[in-house]
């Protein structure tokens, strides 16, 4: 048998364990927020090897029935993932109402949102960001890096990059809290009317640093989303580079059918 392959008996065993635990979760025997029995306990209960138990827990994570926090173990999910509706989240009406997109979405999902500002200040634009902003690599830009939480659990980390000439005369952009409606509201107040957003979405395994930042288990998947915000003049006035815990979000897109 090739190295890393899974025997049919091993697969049957971990699927059996996963199905048994899933039934307990769905029946309420394991309540929302309750800890999943430890790996050692599950090994004894099912007479299984540690690798088999880990595969069973991975199946439950994939089914969004449990969530694993680095150093703390696995828990029955207590809330649905945030549904991120790209066709709705950047409506001007939300900004006028003073609502930032993530905070509104997290509240709608039943969670308590919060944000930790990690950095606000000038940086040299990384090559990929500079290309999207259509400025030379290394140009001075304003970076705003934040980590978002729901019910105290980190769910995503995002860094916005804005052209220096666009933001240098907008003092709120340099504050941790830019005010109601966030940075997009401030841009529009200063004449940069937003007309369009584009997003590039990919999925991959978290790096060690990302896993630590988002309290993910080793090998957990993340969503890498890069968004460009265009003003009505056609200029890119912000690029947002975001890493999201894949099990915490559902990405919902709506777009018209075209000839």
């Amino acid at each position: 048998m090739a190295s890393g392959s899974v025997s049919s008996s091993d697969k049957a065993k971990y699927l059996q364990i996963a199905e048994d635990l899933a039934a307990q979760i769905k029946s309420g025997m394991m309540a929302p927020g309750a800890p999943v029995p430890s790996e050692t306990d599950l090994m004894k209960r099912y007479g299984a090897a540690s690798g088999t138990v880990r595969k069973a827990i991975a199946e439950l994570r994939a089914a969004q029935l449990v969530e694993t926090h680095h150093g703390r173990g696995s828990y029955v999910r207590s809330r649905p993932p945030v549904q991120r509706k790209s066709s709705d989240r950047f409506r001007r009406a939300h900004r006028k109402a003073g609502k930032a997109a993530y905070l509104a979405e997290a509240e709608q999902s039943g969670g308590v949102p919060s944000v930790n500002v990690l950095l606000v200040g000038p940086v040299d634009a990384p090559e990929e960001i500079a290309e999207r902003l259509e400025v030379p690599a290394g140009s001075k830009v304003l970076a705003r890096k934040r980590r978002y939480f729901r019910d105290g659990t980190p769910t995503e980390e995002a860094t916005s990059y804005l052209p220096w000439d666009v933001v240098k005369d907008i003092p709120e952009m340099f504050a941790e809290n830019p005010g109601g409606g966030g940075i997009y509201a401030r841009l529009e107040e200063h004449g940069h009317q937003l007309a369009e957003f584009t997003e590039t979405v990919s999925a991959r395994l978290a790096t060690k640093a990302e896993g630590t930042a988002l309290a993910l288990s080793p090998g957990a998947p993340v969503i890498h989303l890069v968004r460009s915000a265009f003003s009505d003049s056609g200029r890119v006035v912000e690029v947002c580079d975001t890493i999201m815990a894949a099990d915490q979000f559902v990405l919902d897109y709506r777009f018209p059918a075209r000839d």
Side-chain angles (χ1 to χ4, degrees), residues 129-136 139-142 161-168 170 184 187 190-198 227-239:
I129 301 300
E131 183 177 347
R132 287 176 175 268
L133 287 173
E134 299 181 351
V135 300
S139 297
K140 183 164 84 167
V141 296
L142 175 65
Y161 298 91
L162 301 105
W164 192 258
D165 65 299
V166 168
V167 300
K168 63 183 176 65
I170 309 178
Y184 290 160
L187 285 170
H190 287 79
H192 303 284
Q193 193 80 350
L194 297 172
E196 184 180 32
F197 301 91
T198 65
R227 180 177 64 254
S228 297
F230 292 80
S231 70
D232 56 5
S233 69
R235 182 176 184 183
V236 179
V237 292
E238 182 232 18
V239 172

Side-chain angles (χ1 to χ4, degrees), residues 48-104:
S50 61
T52 302
V53 167
R54 291 192 194 107
K55 291 186 181 77
I57 297 300
E59 287 289 317
L60 296 176
R61 280 200 302 272
Q64 298 193 358
L65 293 174
V66 306
E67 52 193 7
T68 302
H69 303 293
H70 183 66
R72 292 166 48 199
S74 297
Y75 295 81
V76 178
R77 286 187 70 101
S78 58
R79 60 200 185 283
V82 172
Q83 189 159 18
R84 186 183 179 281
K85 292 181 175 289
S86 287
S87 58
D88 178 76
R89 72 192 316 256
F90 297 124
R91 288 185 184 276
R92 191 163 287 111
H94 293 332
R95 296 195 289 278
K96 289 182 177 179
K99 295 180 180 179
Y102 175 82
L103 301 182

Side-chain angles (χ1 to χ4, degrees), residues 168-190:
K168 63 183 176 65
D169 296 322
I170 309 178
E172 297 94 335
M173 290 292 197
F174 295 84
E176 287 195 2
N177 183 352
I183 62 174
Y184 290 160
R186 304 292 82 76
L187 285 170
E188 293 197 318
E189 288 171 359
H190 287 79

Side-chain angles (χ1 to χ4, degrees), residues 1-7 10 55:
M1 184 168 60
S3 176
S5 63
V6 178
S7 69
D10 180 54
K55 291 186 181 77

